[in-house]
Amino acid sequence: MTSPTTLHLFCRVVDNYGDIGICWRLARQLQQEHHIAVTLWVDDLASFRRICPQVVLDLELQQVAGVTVRHWRGQDGEYTTADVADIVIEFFAVDIPPGYIAAMAQCEPRPRWFNLEGLTAEEWVEGCHLLTSPHPRLPLTKHFFFPGFTDKTGGLLREAGLEQQRLQFQADPAAMVDFLARFGVTPAEMAATRVSLFCYPYAPVAELFRVWQSGTAPVCCLVPEGVATEAVQAFLGTEAKAGAFASHGSLTVRVLPFVPQPDYDKLLWACDFNFVRGEDSFVRAQWAGWPFVWHIYPQDENLHHKKLRAFLQRYVAAVPSLAAFSLYWNGAGVTDGDEAVDWGVLWAAVEADMAEIVEKSADWQRQMLKNGDLASNLLKFATTLP
Ligand code: TRH
């Protein structure tokens, strides 16, 4: 089959920024590195603009960084074969418009159709990656494509130049100082343990702040606006707006603006320790090659705890202190009845193992690099399809 030249990626924003964050990253990469004409269909331009300020809210169709962005307004509408791309990707099993699917069935050859699934470290993924799902009525076949942490999965999203950019940035202390100074970080804070904090609202942030505040080592915690607002506000004693900051004891907390995606990478690279969440920031922290703690997206019946354990088993089985901290951070630690969690003890154990954790994080990053990158893996597979 000839190489695909066009691709439609369908994204529905369920909440937050991960859905659009991942789709936007994938769309850009396919366009910029693989020269595919990508149309990103997205239903929520306001969320999109938060991570990509060039997006204009009231346009039906716009070009952003070479990608066509189409405001996806609903399931109605008639489509012809001319509207259909060579590759069609539905993100997280979104339902694409029935009229579009009907047009896909008329195409000759048929488009290569993928359901791009969510990331999990569980073993069953390897057995489901690339499985087919025939359409119940139409002559169409969809393939499941799973990101993952092994070479039997689709790998993780990573731009070709990312590693080079990171190494360059981290080898240039002046660039790092300039970057952090944009957010008001002072030379003294620069010399402290720098931590970025991105988590869901129920993370035990206040407890951790208390530990850092009363510790002996200075900590500078950088929090994007809108994150852990309650705990940050309580610490600051004022509204948690971008630019706000306060120091108590050994801890300084600074509120950053919610930065564009490429700057978020720099933030991760410029910190010694990162707290990340969801899927995309979680992956970016891994590419940063630094220690991190993951706040996993919650699911019913604590299904996410199983996913968290599966990841920790792969990532830090050999470092129980970080595994324990991560479990408690997610409410998945083992407590004896009402026994309170001792955050001081948990953090002290992580601190004591920091050299080993740094080493393991770099090893993990190198291991992940070997799996290639998701966009290239997907395209490579797509070209093998009839
Ligand atoms: O925002 P998230 O929690 O997103 C999601 C959604 O909840 C989604 O429904 C769920 O399916 C998914 O998680 C697992 O976390 P995530 O995935 O890390 O996405 C955040 C995006 O925002 C990511 O692309 C990085 C970006 N970002 C910025 O661009 N600037 C910032 O300042 C910050 C903090 C993040």
Side-chain angles (χ1 to χ4, degrees), residues 199-209 231 295 325 328-331 343:
C199 57
Y200 296 109
Y202 40 84
V205 173
E207 288 83 339
L208 191 56
F209 279 0
H295 207 205
F325 188 98
Y328 280 103
W329 185 249
N330 283 279
W343 287 98

Side-chain angles (χ1 to χ4, degrees), residues 15-19 92 200 258-259 261 277 279-281 297:
D15 55 8
N16 308 325
Y17 309 102
D19 307 297
F92 275 9
Y200 296 109
F258 201 89
V259 294
Q261 250 185 355
R277 75 183 201 190
E279 180 167 325
D280 195 49
S281 58
Y297 187 75

Side-chain angles (χ1 to χ4, degrees), residues 230-375:
E230 216 176 287
V232 172
Q233 232 146 250
F235 183 86
L236 298 177
T238 174
E239 209 181 333
K241 278 202 157 159
F245 69 97
S247 299
H248 301 300
S250 296
L251 174 64
T252 300
V253 173
R254 278 193 179 272
V255 182
L256 270 43
F258 201 89
V259 294
Q261 250 185 355
D263 281 349
Y264 183 65
D265 279 324
K266 286 189 181 161
L267 179 65
L268 298 175
W269 301 341
C271 286
D272 304 299
F273 199 96
N274 295 303
F275 285 79
V276 288
R277 75 183 201 190
E279 180 167 325
D280 195 49
S281 58
F282 167 53
V283 171
R284 305 314 279 185
Q286 293 171 60
W287 294 136
W290 286 144
F292 68 91
V293 165
W294 180 31
H295 207 205
I296 187 170
Y297 187 75
Q299 286 180 295
D300 289 343
E301 295 169 11
N302 284 338
L303 224 125
H304 57 296
H305 288 171
K306 206 165 160 233
K307 293 185 174 175
L308 174 68
R309 287 196 176 90
F311 175 71
L312 292 174
Q313 184 59 33
R314 291 184 192 274
Y315 172 56
V316 280
V319 194
S321 57
L322 186 60
F325 188 98
S326 304
L327 286 170
Y328 280 103
W329 185 249
N330 283 279
V334 184
T335 49
D336 210 357
D338 293 333
E339 194 189 310
V341 180
D342 191 331
W343 287 98
V345 170
L346 285 171
W347 179 251
V350 169
E351 263 189 324
D353 287 345
M354 201 56 93
E356 192 185 351
I357 296 171
V358 167
E359 203 180 300
K360 285 271 175 299
S361 305
D363 285 350
W364 176 258
Q365 192 253 17
R366 283 191 287 271
Q367 195 183 321
M368 292 303 101
L369 283 172
K370 289 189 192 142
N371 298 331
D373 73 273
L374 187 140

